[in-house]
Amino acid sequence: MTLLSVNLNKIALLRNSRGGLLPDPLQAGRVALAAGCGGITLHPRPDLRHALPADAHAARMLCQSAELNLEGNPYSQATSRYPGFLELVEACLPEQATLVPDGESQLTSDHGWAIRAEQARLRPMVARLRGLGIRVSLFMDVDSPDIERAADIGADRIEIFTGPYAHARDNAALDACARTAERAAKVGLGVNAGHDLDQHNLGPLLRHVPEIREVSIGHALINEALYDGLATTVKRYLGVIQEAYAQR
């Protein structure tokens, strides 16, 4: 069964917009886990606009029987308020680190790795994390020519960037995701998926791409939770996942 990891960045963004402690990402994590999700995702960026390093440490303590997934750019260096992404991952020891090539000016992740150009720099970083027992996933574009290179540099999984599928919502986009997952599986890579997934497009994706082991969902899930409640929304996503498996 595909694992649902709830991304809490938007909760942290709301808190930071006002200052203080509310809404509390840690409490949101407790609710999501109690509702049955299998993991928590945070993407702490150097500009501290949403998830903070302290949130990552708190999430590590929270996820004692669930997976913690920390996303970020491994090239992000330490500042006076940010320890550096690799250093934060080493301190928190999440079950999974998802490496994303996002620039600090980006509002959100919008493209995957060009591994051919980056492999010399990425390979030792992947080895560094795997040496600590951390599963490493690389954020990759659909139909990237570099899917197989993710295995070559030692990654455990790829995360398919599903933004284009979510906006197209057609069979061609589904077929592209399926081709990407099949290529990854052939070289021994696990497959995750994330970005712009919601209750409407998640089911068709999982039915069409059975290789997907994990989905990370934040923006849409938190939006829906504003109206329906967080626990209810998490349970509905789990229902979508279960229904997709039943319909295969």
Side-chain angles (χ1 to χ4, degrees):
M1 188 76 71
T2 300
L3 182 143
L4 171 64
S5 186
V6 175
N7 189 317
L8 298 177
N9 274 10
K10 286 301 184 291
I11 303 294
L13 179 67
L14 285 173
R15 175 199 61 197
N16 296 351
S17 69
R18 179 68 180 263
L21 302 176
L22 300 176
D24 180 7
L26 191 62
Q27 179 60 18
R30 292 190 189 99
V31 172
L33 291 170
C37 78
I40 296 297
T41 291
L42 291 173
H43 190 145
R45 289 182 168 87
D47 63 9
L48 307 181
R49 65 179 181 263
H50 35 55
L52 305 176
D55 296 323
H57 286 281
R60 173 68 287 171
M61 296 298 294
L62 176 65
C63 294
Q64 295 297 309
S65 58
E67 289 211 347
L68 175 61
N69 173 43
L70 292 183
E71 298 180 345
N73 190 323
Y75 301 163
S76 296
Q77 299 298 306
T79 68
S80 60
R81 298 191 300 160
Y82 182 78
F85 180 71
L86 291 181
E87 290 77 11
L88 181 60
V89 171
E90 287 177 327
C92 293
L93 295 177
E95 280 69 32
Q96 179 171 271
T98 300
L99 307 186
V100 183
D102 59 332
E104 294 188 20
S105 63
Q106 289 178 229
L107 286 177
T108 186
S109 306
D110 61 11
H111 65 281
W113 287 102
I115 297 178
R116 183 185 300 269
E118 302 291 338
Q119 58 188 347
R121 194 174 180 190
L122 281 174
R123 189 189 302 273
M125 294 178 171
V126 171
R128 176 177 169 182
L129 296 177
R130 290 194 68 195
L132 294 170
I134 298 168
R135 185 172 68 242
V136 177
S137 178
L138 299 182
F139 196 65
M140 299 295 294
D141 292 321
V142 165
D143 281 336
S144 165
D146 290 345
I147 296 299
E148 291 80 5
R149 288 179 182 272
D152 292 341
I153 66 169
D156 300 285
R157 295 187 184 183
I158 63 165
E159 179 175 321
I160 298 175
F161 172 41
T162 51
Y165 156 67
H167 293 287
R169 294 183 63 179
D170 58 22
N171 288 334
L174 279 172
D175 289 342
C177 290
R179 284 194 303 271
T180 303
E182 288 168 4
R183 288 172 56 198
K186 284 181 180 178
V187 294
L189 291 164
V191 179
N192 298 340
H195 215 279
D196 292 333
L197 295 176
D198 59 28
Q199 292 183 53
H200 302 290
N201 59 36
L202 177 59
L205 177 69
L206 295 181
R207 287 191 292 273
H208 207 73
V209 190
E211 294 88 352
I212 294 175
R213 298 186 185 183
E214 175 183 316
V215 288
S216 173
I217 305 177
H219 184 80
L221 190 152
I222 298 304
N223 168 65
E224 292 156 347
L226 291 174
Y227 309 103
D228 301 323
L230 182 55
T232 295
T233 301
V234 169
K235 290 175 182 177
R236 286 178 179 171
Y237 272 92
L238 293 172
V240 170
I241 293 171
Q242 292 168 354
E243 184 178 2
Y245 272 75
Q247 292 178 353
R248 285 179 179 173

